[in-house]
Amino acid sequence: MTDALRQKRASSQSVRARVLALMVGDLLFLYGVWASLVLLYWSVAQVGYVPRQYLAFWPIGPLYVILNVGFRLYGGSVLHPSLSFSPVEEFRRLVCSSLLLHIGVMSFLGFSRLETEISRLVLVCACVTVGLFAQSVRDAVRWILKRLDVGQTPVVVLGSGPVAQSLVADFAASSYFGVKVLGYFDREGRALGGLPRLGGIRDVLKVSRRLSVRRLVVCEDQRVLRTQLAAYATHFSHVDYFPEASAFPISGARPLSVDGLGGIEMVNQLQMPVVRFQKALLDWVLSIFTLVLLTPFFVVIPLLIKLTSRGPVFYRQHRLGRKGHPFLIWKFRTMYCDADRRLERLLAGCPDLAVEWERKHKLSNDPRVTPLGRFLRRTSLDEIPQIFNVFGGEMSLIGPRPIVEDEVEHYGSRYDIFSRVKPGVTGLWQSQGRSDTDYARRVALDIYYVLNWNIWLDLWICLRTVFSVVTMRGAL
């Protein structure tokens, strides 16, 4: 057996190990949720309730995995896996898979004549729990695989421009896609994330065959792809193309074919009145639920603020809303009353902090913030009063973060896109690491949200924001 063939088989086995690990993770999580809820219900009900009767439902595990295969949740084809869907699309499909599975179980119970007492409450709770948190378990599995360097898809990159730089950084930092970049090809010979340069455009096929790499990520001009695609198709099983102009509606996009001509239909959801109504309705439902849930904080936090520092409980600041209209945003006060003067003196005396402020419009160790305010910021509890802005129609619960006039320049020509929607209490920026994210990335996330909104994206952001807040990831 040749070395190339051995490398090819080892690569395929490694990628399939990722699929197997995800399957095992899904299976164990489903059984774990059922077992935990059954035991919890038994501890409450006890009399006349026999937990072991649920053992007869062991086939739900394999059935759940089969449903996930049908929803293409293991990299598309199980035998020849590809890159995963976007996290939001994976979340949507996991919810649908859990819903279909548990509806099937309930339908079976409804039509069968089993002489057992199966709690419908357990089934409903299991459906919700599996649907909402299966992705978190998958994320943990992927993180372990990346740490062990197992199940990572070997790829090579064509190009070294800004898009290639961003992709390589994302692949290195994230375990979600399970990609291991072996090197890159380009025309200029620029550095790319510390990776080895494998040659120029003419060397792609020769070197890729030697390395037995079957996936190519193209971040070059479309003319390069157009002229070389036929040649690439002789070796690569997957060619992923990322154009330089990537700010367009891709969520919900679908391929089109008209008389042999291939194209892509892109849908901007927020241009549709029905979809905008869905978002407004979701905002109100989630806002009312959030207000009820957080009511105790409106009693405790103002009292603590008054006891620990002089000044008002609330802080109001001018921000730009939809179409650039200014409004006053509500927050719990986290700074001393002379915060603006302190900031001017601090930036004037420390150039390094001035650079950090210019880059993020935040400071890692801000002396203007009170001790209680630091805790409120780390937990994002200072932003709770913005719920009043949502009810006032100035903000959405989920959307791009509201900005001040000085930040408009960071958006440049894209500010028109950004300002089409109401700013949000939380958004993609918070769910992706908050202050760990630099401003250029924040702008890109805001534009992506506006162009690719759907209801699943909002639900996914809600769950991810809760995770970021609880773990205080990226907080100041």
Side-chain angles (χ1 to χ4, degrees), residues 376-420:
L376 294 178
R377 286 187 169 201
R378 288 185 64 83
T379 56
S380 293
L381 293 175
D382 63 313
E383 298 182 356
I384 290 177
Q386 291 170 29
I387 198 75
F388 299 134
N389 292 111
V390 176
F391 287 119
E394 300 155 326
M395 295 179 65
S396 293
L397 191 65
I398 303 161
R401 284 296 294 148
I403 62 174
V404 297
E405 188 73 40
D406 292 343
E407 296 175 271
V408 173
E409 63 183 58
H410 292 285
Y411 290 82
S413 59
R414 292 179 290 181
Y415 179 72
D416 179 60
I417 298 175
F418 170 82
S419 62
R420 291 179 189 175

Side-chain angles (χ1 to χ4, degrees), residues 64-97:
Y64 180 54
V65 172
I66 291 172
L67 284 172
N68 286 349
V69 170
F71 279 106
R72 302 177 63 83
L73 284 163
Y74 300 109
S77 170
V78 175
L79 297 178
H80 304 284
S82 179
L83 293 184
S84 304
F85 297 109
S86 71
V88 177
E89 179 61 17
E90 183 189 61
F91 171 68
R92 184 186 73 84
R93 296 189 183 211
L94 284 169
V95 171
C96 292
S97 180

Side-chain angles (χ1 to χ4, degrees), residues 188-227:
E188 291 83 6
R190 294 177 292 189
L192 180 61
L195 295 170
R197 183 176 183 270
L198 303 175
I201 293 178
R202 295 181 178 179
D203 302 313
V204 172
L205 286 175
K206 178 179 66 176
V207 177
S208 297
R209 286 194 177 103
R210 177 167 55 83
L211 295 175
S212 298
V213 178
R214 305 299 300 278
R215 177 175 290 275
L216 174 67
V217 177
V218 179
C219 305
E220 272 284 0
D221 187 277
Q222 61 175 334
R223 289 171 297 180
V224 174
L225 180 64
R226 187 169 60 248
T227 57

Side-chain angles (χ1 to χ4, degrees), residues 30 34 59-65 67 71 95-108 123 126-127 130:
L30 178 71
W34 270 58
I60 63 168
L63 181 58
Y64 180 54
V65 172
L67 284 172
F71 279 106
V95 171
C96 292
S97 180
S98 176
L99 189 63
L100 190 59
L101 173 71
H102 290 89
I103 287 178
V105 173
M106 290 185 184
S107 299
F108 171 76
L123 296 181
C127 177
V130 172

